[in-house]
Amino acid sequence: MKKLSPVFGQGTRLLVAMVAMLAAQPVRGAGPFTVNTTSDTHAVSAASSPNDSGGHISLRSAVEAANAQLGATTINVPAGTYNLTLGEIGIAANGNQTNTLSGAGAASTIVNQTDGTNRVFNIDFNSIGGTVATLSGITIQGGHDGADGLGGAAILAGSITSTPKDVLNLSNCVIQNNHCTTNTTQEPGGGIQMAGGDLNLTGCTFTNNSSGQSFGGAIFVLAQSVISSLNVTNSTFVNNSMTNNSGAGPDGGGAIMIETPAGSVHNIIGCTFNNNCATGNSGNTYGGAIQLNVGTLNIGNSTFVNNAASGQGGLGGAIYADSGTVNLTFCRLAGNTATHGGGALYNHGSNGANTTATNNWWGCNGGPGATGCDVVASDGGTMTYNPWLIITNTASPGTINIGQSTTLTASVLKNSNNQTVTAAQVAVLIGLPVTWNGALHGSLSGAQTTIQANGQATE
């Protein structure tokens, strides 16, 4: 056998070493890609380029190219209205990807489904897991689930039982006018369905989304076995709904429905729920704004106004705790209604629900059930709402003579047990209107008409 010369042998070893070194390098995604057309087109060769047949990069072609990469990819989506004409856009169909869609702001970057049948985005369609998708500064609208009847009219996502679980992050997005429209109770999530995994929302608005007869007019969070979470911060839910015409159910969650395994923890902080509804025309409906089924839900510094669970079997106009634990604190609940109990909150204690709802404003000084206040109800378990927030009115000095004046101070810095709270804790009451009237043997002047940043108003 011929022996290799030393020079050739060293070169071979060097070549092998270089190949091994290159193979060891982490695989990185191409890009970032920047969309440069509002047309809806496919990539010609997604594995090598995001370009469509005209040499442009559309939103769809950029996503297709990102899907073909093994590493993280960012897609920049400039201002414009992106009308989809080729069906839903699938992100990371086979999981195990990290993709970011970055818009120019929700008022400027609008992704609009036009066909009246398909949803807008489908993330990790095969539920493989390991996908992290981030969307920011985008409006997502016009989606339906008619093509497959799986729910999630704007976004369908989640790893179901797979681990590592999927994560979906939305920041400063608007999800509006998306609808699950077929007549079954198995198509939940009018805006987003997160079927296993963590859903994180910051500074988002959900408006006029509906889930037909299914759970979760705006959001449905489902986790069959994997501990998952919903974290919502500084977001708004307005005019989202579900309507039960099926005679089956019960169904609920006009804005949000959470159904997760024990051990799952969810947080809603600094949010507003206004005019969301669950309507039972034929079949019971619960939770005009939120329904929780198993897990722990922490709600703080949030506002619930004019939400309703109406019609047949309506319970929990704002919140329905079906099972699990709800902790509600420093929130404002006013004008919420339910036809069969718990205008603001219903605790289904006989099914294992436990609710602690202390230091909240229920619409009047008397607390839940007093004239002018919202109502809570429970059929067992633990339902605690004492103490609650009140408004006080004091005069300084307390006694005056004819011709003298005093300063009146309305304050929301006390609870019903005369314990002091801070202005930061009662942030949901700052800026609300104050009406001064009923002066006797004198007149009122210089009145502040709203609660000021210090938690007080003076006259």
Side-chain angles (χ1 to χ4, degrees), residues 67 150 219:
N67 290 343
L150 296 177
I219 296 173

Side-chain angles (χ1 to χ4, degrees), residues 261-450:
S264 297
V265 179
H266 315 283
N267 300 287
I268 296 175
I269 306 297
C271 295
T272 297
F273 294 82
N274 183 14
N275 202 39
N276 303 285
C277 62
T279 303
N281 292 332
S282 177
N284 294 344
T285 50
Y286 303 150
I290 299 173
Q291 179 176 347
L292 171 72
N293 188 3
V294 189
T296 297
L297 174 59
N298 302 309
I299 307 174
N301 300 105
S302 296
T303 296
F304 296 83
V305 177
N306 298 331
N307 303 285
S310 63
Q312 182 173 323
L315 295 171
I319 302 165
Y320 181 85
D322 190 27
S323 60
T325 299
V326 172
N327 299 307
L328 180 79
T329 186
F330 294 113
C331 292
R332 174 185 170 223
L333 301 99
N336 303 287
T337 58
T339 52
H340 288 272
L345 192 157
Y346 191 90
N347 183 72
H348 192 9
S350 64
N351 197 41
N354 293 286
T355 298
T356 300
T358 55
N359 285 316
N360 298 291
W361 172 255
W362 301 93
C364 72
N365 270 6
T371 301
C373 269
D374 274 19
V375 179
V376 300
S378 180
D379 64 351
T382 300
M383 174 69 245
T384 303
Y385 57 81
N386 188 0
W388 56 85
L389 299 177
I390 62 173
I391 185 169
T392 61
N393 190 12
T394 58
S396 180
T399 302
I400 58 175
N401 296 318
I402 295 174
Q404 293 181 320
S405 64
T406 186
T407 299
L408 301 178
T409 300
S411 173
V412 292
L413 301 180
K414 293 282 188 181
N415 66 23
S416 59
N417 285 352
N418 201 36
Q419 297 166 322
T420 299
V421 299
T422 68
Q425 289 173 319
V426 296
V428 293
L429 304 181
I430 304 302
L432 291 180
V434 176
T435 301
W436 304 86
N437 55 38
L440 298 175
H441 308 297
S443 61
L444 301 173
S445 63
Q448 293 177 330
T449 57
T450 60

Side-chain angles (χ1 to χ4, degrees), residues 17-53:
M18 291 178 62
V19 171
M21 183 176 66
L22 290 172
Q25 296 296 312
V27 179
R28 294 182 172 86
F33 303 137
T34 298
V35 175
N36 57 23
T37 179
T38 59
S39 298
D40 191 15
T41 58
H42 289 291
V44 174
S45 179
S48 59
S49 169
N51 290 347
D52 63 13
S53 60

Side-chain angles (χ1 to χ4, degrees), residues 141-162:
Q141 65 184 33
H144 296 80
D145 73 331
D148 55 27
L150 296 177
I155 302 173
L156 177 62
S159 47
I160 305 183
T161 59
S162 298

Side-chain angles (χ1 to χ4, degrees), residues 145-285:
D145 73 331
D148 55 27
L150 296 177
I155 302 173
L156 177 62
S159 47
I160 305 183
T161 59
S162 298
T163 55
K165 59 186 175 182
D166 286 349
V167 177
L168 174 58
N169 306 307
L170 272 72
S171 63
N172 302 313
C173 289
V174 172
I175 312 297
Q176 65 183 13
N177 301 322
N178 302 282
H179 306 287
C180 299
T181 54
T182 55
N183 295 319
T184 77
T185 59
Q186 305 299 318
E187 302 176 28
I192 298 174
Q193 180 187 144
M194 189 69 184
D198 298 336
L199 176 59
N200 304 308
L201 309 171
T202 303
C204 293
T205 297
F206 290 76
T207 182
N208 195 36
N209 303 286
S210 66
S211 54
Q213 300 184 160
S214 301
F215 291 111
I219 296 173
F220 178 69
V221 176
L222 169 70
Q224 296 179 359
S225 60
V226 178
I227 292 177
S228 301
S229 67
L230 170 67
N231 298 291
V232 191
T233 305
N234 298 332
S235 296
T236 300
F237 298 80
V238 180
N239 295 331
N240 302 288
S241 64
M242 62 81 49
T243 302
N244 191 351
N245 294 317
S246 68
D251 295 324
I256 297 175
M257 168 64 181
I258 301 170
E259 186 172 353
T260 53
S264 297
V265 179
H266 315 283
N267 300 287
I268 296 175
I269 306 297
C271 295
T272 297
F273 294 82
N274 183 14
N275 202 39
N276 303 285
C277 62
T279 303
N281 292 332
S282 177
N284 294 344
T285 50

